[in-house]
Amino acid sequence: MMLMSFDELLPLIFIGLMGVSLLVYVVSDGYDLGVGMLMHRATPDERDTMVASIGPFWDANETWLVLGVGLLLVAFPKAHGLVLSELYLPTALMLVGLILRGAAFDFRVKAKADRKAMWDRMFIAGSMLASVCQGWMLGRYISGFGEGWNYPIFAGAIAIALPMAYALLGATWLVMKTHGELQEKAIEWSKIAWAPMVLGLILISMATPWISETVRLRWFTLPAMIAVASIPITTSVALLTVRLLLGAPAVRGALCWLPFALLVLVFFLSFLGLSYSIYPYVVIDRLTVWQAASSPESLRVILIGVCITLPVIIAYTGFSYRVFRGKTIELDYA
Amino acid sequence: MDAVFLARMQFAANITFHILFPSISIALGWLLLFFRLKYLRATDPQQKLDWLRAYRLWTKVFALTFALGVVSGVTMSFQFGTNWPGYMERVGNIAGPLLGYEVLTAFFLEAGFLGVMLFGHRRVGEIVHLGATVLVALGTLMSAFWILALNSWMQTPAGYEIVNGQFHARSWLAIIFNPSFPYRLVHMVLASALTCAFLLIGISAWQLLKGVATTSASRVLRTGLVFAALAAPAQMVAGDFHGLNTLKHQPQKIAAVEGIWETTRGAPLLLFAIPDDATRSNRFELPVPKLASLILRHDPDGELKGLNEFPSAHPPVLPLFWSFRIMVGTGILMLLVSWVGLWRHWRDGWEFSLMPRPLLKLFAGMTFAGWVATIAGWYVTEIGRQPFIVSGLIRTSEVASRVPSASIALTLAIYVTLYVGLLVAYVGVLKYMSEKPEKSSAAVTSEDLAQDPLRYQSRGEFA
């Protein structure tokens, strides 16, 4: 391993920052999109509590997407152009979903009472549309925008699996943030969503090396393979623990936070696996981080800002979660 | 349909929809703080209740406005890249950090504290809550600062150097504080103050007409009138300075605004005309002799450059000519209405029950006057920069997307449908919220005074 100069290191720092931003986005907006999708199984009163549980957070959660895509745009303009023109339509549809959801979130409690059901439907539809599009985009991205009969199937599978993962994340969020009847329901929903999510993850893990030769070489070469194996092993343990917890009484009480926390860990491990598979590419087999990066001087300017602001952002995000810790009871917002 | 045209239309639709909401929320955040402080300092129970009601209604308006601003803003952040990929490739080194700083310093601040501001009342205590409100309001201002710095740099580029077709930053101070930035920032902040003031005036007048929440609505109406009466003349002055600055740096924009084809000494101000790009002349001119020169050169015989000095590099004249007149006309109307209203209100001994109903109806009719002026103003500045995306340096057509035009047309149709639907819903909900009868003062409990929109039960440690 040769030592890199700081200027060569900069794109790596930025791909890391971008990856982390998108990971935080997927986890945080993942649970609130998941809660949105689960609303179609809830009564009107339960819907109020569900929305109340994500109310203080959804806006900040969505900002991580702007940061992630912003960093892609700013640090890797060539990759941004390539990725977003390849994914033009799913991106636009995802945005439509996010717009619908964000608007419905506020309208549902402010509009006339008889319109509430309509806005709820918008909220649910928007959450689903955004999640499905994100799954499709992820699938197309992992496969390097390949052409051929198997590629759309792969992307389609992830377009179904990711919303399932979000739904599970959302359900475990509710297990943590609610109690009583709604919590019981959330435990049931978690059990329902668990199997498809695990199945999806297994299928994707099997299909990814099959769809991309680069990934195949990366995974199945000794001795690295032994180190890489720790990722699926830990993930399996975490997922099985989640399933066991859902059947345990403790999840209704002291351990209500654990399934959610374990799922966040699963997302983090999947992210690590994906990063390992793709490195050093921004777009697999097409663009490396260095080919796509902006000039070192502008990266340095942004890095200064990131170093100053990111700790502050993390601090007040932590503050916000502290303020709204504990169980959500009811919404008296209108 | 050609792809560049469609990309432009799509971007125009998006920024038009987006600006509606910041133009309200930039000023409304500070007004909420004002209402809250009024409520805290009031000693008379009726007064306290009035300010509280005002605060609650307008907090809801703020939340709704903010949400729509966020979702349309997220869309915009994507469209920079999807519609103008070449733009970032060429000027990414300059535009990137500015946009990056907007996200890092403004978006997160607004979004992070908005939750506390809207739902955190009983959980944090008054001081922290006021702090959160201030931070949200500061966030909206900072957001305006960065995005206007970038927009102004595109209008009047400075502090850069070009190496192999790529732009590089030479001086960040010169980039941020480029020649048109201070003027544009002041102009936009005042535009928000005016837009917001007329929203307060219009909705409160509507409440008075409907006999809803009369005591609280009259306090808000008075606040709005005073605010508008101060902001309107200030905006005229700021606009004049901004215009002179534009004349210095973008003379072709002013030539199109004034409809001057040939360089003229003692140019007239055209009250009405239909500029025609094909014949390069105006039809149906209604001129006021020498006035344009007087305003822009402070000399009735001053020389103004005509459009023919800028062959193939000047903006389309008709939309610019009329957008400008709509903006100024609406501005003058807002000035007159706010002054007449305030004068009448003073003559009535600050008693709204004496206010004539036609005047209240006029106020209600002017609810969204600020939107009309703000959008027209942005059309002047943005269409006025064409055919360039960066004044005189990069043409918009050079950096457009390579996405098939059918995809752009499809998404354009979806966006426009969605935006029109949301706009109708937004206006409808504002109307509904303002008409909603309140609890009688007897039914208002201390619970309401604490105003805790979300009740939680704290369960010890885990967040």
Side-chain angles (χ1 to χ4, degrees):
Chain A
M1 183 85 191
M2 285 191 346
L3 273 179
M4 288 185 217
S5 70
F6 184 65
D7 282 0
E8 281 176 317
L9 201 63
L10 271 170
L12 285 185
I13 295 173
F14 271 89
I15 196 81
L17 283 171
M18 186 187 98
V20 169
S21 302
L22 288 172
L23 172 68
V24 174
Y25 170 73
V26 163
V27 169
S28 63
D29 215 28
Y31 76 71
D32 64 49
L33 287 168
V35 169
M37 286 186 283
L38 292 168
M39 268 168 63
H40 79 283
R41 293 169 168 259
T43 65
D45 282 352
E46 288 167 343
R47 287 177 176 185
D48 285 350
T49 309
M50 288 162 85
V51 171
S53 79
I54 56 178
F57 308 115
W58 74 271
D59 191 357
N61 294 348
E62 211 163 273
T63 308
W64 289 97
L65 175 67
V66 180
L67 182 64
V69 172
L71 285 171
L72 178 66
L73 180 68
V74 167
F76 307 103
K78 290 191 190 72
H80 183 277
L82 178 67
V83 169
L84 286 185
S85 37
E86 286 279 358
L87 299 174
Y88 185 81
L89 283 177
T91 302
L93 288 175
M94 173 193 80
L95 289 169
V96 168
L98 291 177
I99 291 169
L100 273 178
R101 183 199 55 160
F105 183 92
D106 260 286
F107 276 119
R108 67 185 292 282
V109 283
K110 296 186 178 69
K112 285 197 183 79
D114 55 349
R115 292 270 169 80
K116 193 166 174 176
M118 178 198 79
W119 286 114
D120 279 347
R121 278 198 296 279
M122 294 269 183
F123 193 90
I124 295 161
S127 302
M128 280 193 178
L129 181 62
S131 309
V132 169
C133 289
Q134 283 174 13
W136 177 268
M137 288 155 79
L138 181 67
R140 295 294 294 139
Y141 173 76
I142 293 175
S143 61
F145 311 114
E147 300 293 333
W149 65 271
N150 49 2
Y151 288 96
I153 295 177
F154 178 74
I158 297 192
I160 298 166
L162 191 72
M164 280 296 167
Y166 284 175
L168 181 55
L169 200 60
T172 54
W173 166 263
L174 290 172
V175 169
M176 178 171 81
K177 297 296 279 186
T178 62
H179 60 82
E181 207 174 322
L182 181 56
Q183 189 185 36
E184 289 304 319
K185 273 195 179 177
I187 291 170
E188 283 312 305
W189 294 334
S190 307
K191 286 177 184 170
I192 295 168
W194 186 86
M197 169 182 168
V198 172
L199 190 68
L201 199 58
I202 291 169
L203 282 177
I204 290 160
S205 305
M206 284 163 58
T208 307
W210 171 62
I211 209 117
S212 159
E213 195 180 347
T214 314
V215 175
R216 191 158 60 236
L217 291 173
R218 186 60 59 83
W219 285 14
F220 301 111
T221 45
L222 289 163
M225 196 170 155
I226 297 161
V228 178
S230 66
I231 293 179
I233 291 166
T234 320
T235 306
S236 311
V237 171
L239 283 168
L240 286 169
T241 314
V242 168
R243 188 64 191 83
L244 289 172
L245 274 170
L246 289 173
V251 84
R252 289 165 183 76
L255 290 184
C256 64
W257 57 274
L258 194 52
F260 180 76
L262 285 168
L263 276 176
V264 173
L265 177 71
V266 168
F267 272 84
F268 174 69
L269 290 166
S270 310
F271 163 75
L272 275 189
L274 187 63
S275 314
Y276 175 79
S277 311
I278 290 176
Y279 178 86
Y281 291 106
V282 183
V283 179
I284 204 157
D285 297 340
R286 287 216 213 170
L287 272 177
T288 67
V289 287
W290 295 281
Q291 288 165 337
S294 298
S295 73
E297 61 266 27
S298 79
L299 289 183
R300 251 177 293 186
V301 171
I302 306 168
L303 190 61
I304 294 167
V306 169
C307 289
I308 296 168
T309 53
L310 208 54
V312 180
I313 291 169
I314 290 165
Y316 63 65
T317 305
F319 167 77
S320 178
Y321 275 83
R322 245 192 76 76
V323 168
F324 295 102
R325 70 184 178 278
K327 302 284 186 182
T328 316
I329 295 294
E330 63 176 287
L331 184 79
D332 180 21
Y333 182 52
Chain B
M1 283 288 213
D2 99 284
V4 179
F5 177 76
L6 286 168
R8 270 187 178 158
M9 286 301 104
Q10 189 187 71
F11 200 70
N14 203 3
I15 55 180
T16 303
F17 182 70
H18 176 73
I19 196 62
L20 299 176
F21 305 106
S23 71
I24 291 171
S25 57
I26 291 171
L28 190 53
W30 299 103
L31 280 161
L32 285 179
L33 191 68
F34 173 76
F35 291 161
R36 190 79 199 165
L37 289 171
K38 278 292 214 187
Y39 155 75
L40 286 172
R41 294 184 49 190
T43 45
D44 170 53
Q46 181 59 43
Q47 245 188 51
K48 216 173 172 64
L49 191 63
D50 287 344
W51 286 116
L52 179 69
R53 281 183 172 155
Y55 176 81
R56 291 169 73 175
L57 171 66
W58 290 95
T59 296
K60 278 188 262 179
V61 175
F62 184 85
L64 192 61
T65 307
F66 197 88
L68 288 170
V70 168
V71 291
S72 54
V74 170
T75 310
M76 212 162 66
S77 71
F78 274 83
Q79 285 193 353
F80 279 129
T82 53
N83 294 35
W84 319 110
Y87 172 72
M88 269 298 167
E89 283 167 24
R90 299 275 297 277
V91 301
N93 292 329
I94 287 165
L98 294 177
L99 288 169
Y101 273 79
E102 182 181 18
V103 178
L104 290 166
T105 60
F107 287 175
F108 276 108
L109 196 68
E110 297 169 307
F113 286 100
L114 188 74
V116 178
M117 173 181 154
L118 295 180
F119 310 115
H121 256 288
R122 202 177 306 159
R123 300 192 137 223
V124 294
E126 196 62 56
I127 296 291
V128 177
H129 186 265
L130 284 175
T133 310
V134 170
L135 286 169
V136 170
L138 268 180
T140 54
L141 263 186
M142 269 206 279
S143 195
F145 178 94
W146 290 113
I147 199 73
L148 290 175
L150 175 56
N151 180 273
S152 300
W153 183 84
M154 290 158 69
Q155 305 277 357
T156 51
Y160 64 93
E161 56 196 354
I162 303 177
V163 185
N164 317 325
Q166 286 265 348
F167 281 66
H168 291 267
R170 213 187 52 244
S171 152
W172 280 105
L173 265 182
I175 289 169
I176 294 169
F177 296 98
N178 59 75
S180 63
F181 173 61
Y183 300 95
R184 191 169 277 103
L185 181 65
V186 171
H187 204 41
M188 182 64 218
V189 169
L190 284 171
S192 173
L194 261 178
T195 304
C196 201
F198 268 86
L199 195 74
L200 298 185
I201 292 170
I203 287 183
S204 307
W206 184 252
Q207 287 181 303
L208 290 178
L209 286 167
K210 292 270 162 191
V212 183
T214 40
T215 52
S216 152
S218 36
R219 288 186 199 284
V220 177
L221 181 47
R222 193 172 308 132
T223 309
L225 280 174
V226 172
F227 200 38
L230 293 171
Q235 181 67 313
M236 297 250 161
V237 175
D240 183 52
F241 276 104
H242 192 11
L244 294 179
N245 174 267
T246 307
L247 178 67
K248 190 171 158 190
H249 296 279
Q250 296 171 291
Q252 72 282 14
K253 192 188 271 189
I254 295 293
V257 157
E258 300 296 354
I260 301 169
W261 296 93
E262 283 300 333
T263 298
T264 324
R265 301 191 72 80
L269 183 81
L270 301 175
L271 294 177
F272 185 96
I274 298 182
D276 186 343
D277 280 341
T279 61
R280 304 192 68 74
S281 64
N282 302 327
R283 285 178 296 166
F284 313 113
E285 284 190 1
L286 183 63
V288 179
K290 301 194 187 271
L291 190 54
S293 283
L294 186 66
I295 292 173
L296 288 158
R297 290 278 180 223
H298 300 286
D299 166 11
D301 292 314
E303 182 181 279
L304 286 179
K305 279 209 165 32
L307 290 154
N308 293 335
E309 307 259 341
F310 312 96
S312 79
H314 69 73
V317 184
L318 185 75
L320 220 61
F321 183 88
W322 280 108
S323 298
F324 184 79
R325 274 148 191 76
I326 290 168
M327 173 181 79
V328 174
T330 314
I332 291 171
L333 191 63
M334 288 199 278
L335 180 85
L336 290 176
V337 168
S338 62
W339 282 19
V340 167
L342 205 58
W343 169 78
R344 173 79 212 209
H345 191 34
W346 167 78
R347 225 192 53 181
D348 290 341
W350 307 111
E351 189 52 64
F352 272 112
S353 51
L354 302 172
M355 182 76 75
R357 286 181 79 80
L359 192 57
L360 286 177
K361 282 180 182 157
L362 175 66
F363 287 158
M366 298 272 292
T367 304
F368 299 109
W371 276 2
V372 175
T374 306
I375 288 175
W378 273 107
Y379 283 6
V380 170
T381 208
E382 289 296 280
I383 299 173
R385 198 189 55 232
Q386 304 304 332
F388 297 100
I389 191 164
V390 178
S391 278
L393 297 168
I394 305 175
R395 284 181 180 249
T396 312
S397 53
E398 290 171 52
V399 299
S401 178
R402 292 166 286 274
V403 171
S405 51
S407 301
I408 306 178
L410 175 69
T411 51
L412 172 62
I414 297 173
Y415 282 131
V416 169
T417 312
L418 187 64
Y419 290 158
V420 170
L422 286 175
L423 193 58
V424 170
Y426 178 81
V427 174
V429 168
L430 284 192
K431 181 171 172 291
Y432 169 72
M433 286 197 303
S434 63
E435 289 171 358
K436 230 177 12 182
E438 316 190 14
K439 298 173 182 172
S440 68
S441 58
V444 176
T445 60
S446 59
E447 179 101 327
D448 288 314
L449 289 176
Q451 206 237 341
D452 182 20
L454 283 181
R455 279 190 226 108
Y456 284 79
Q457 180 186 49
S458 217
R459 275 282 184 97
E461 272 326 287
F462 189 75

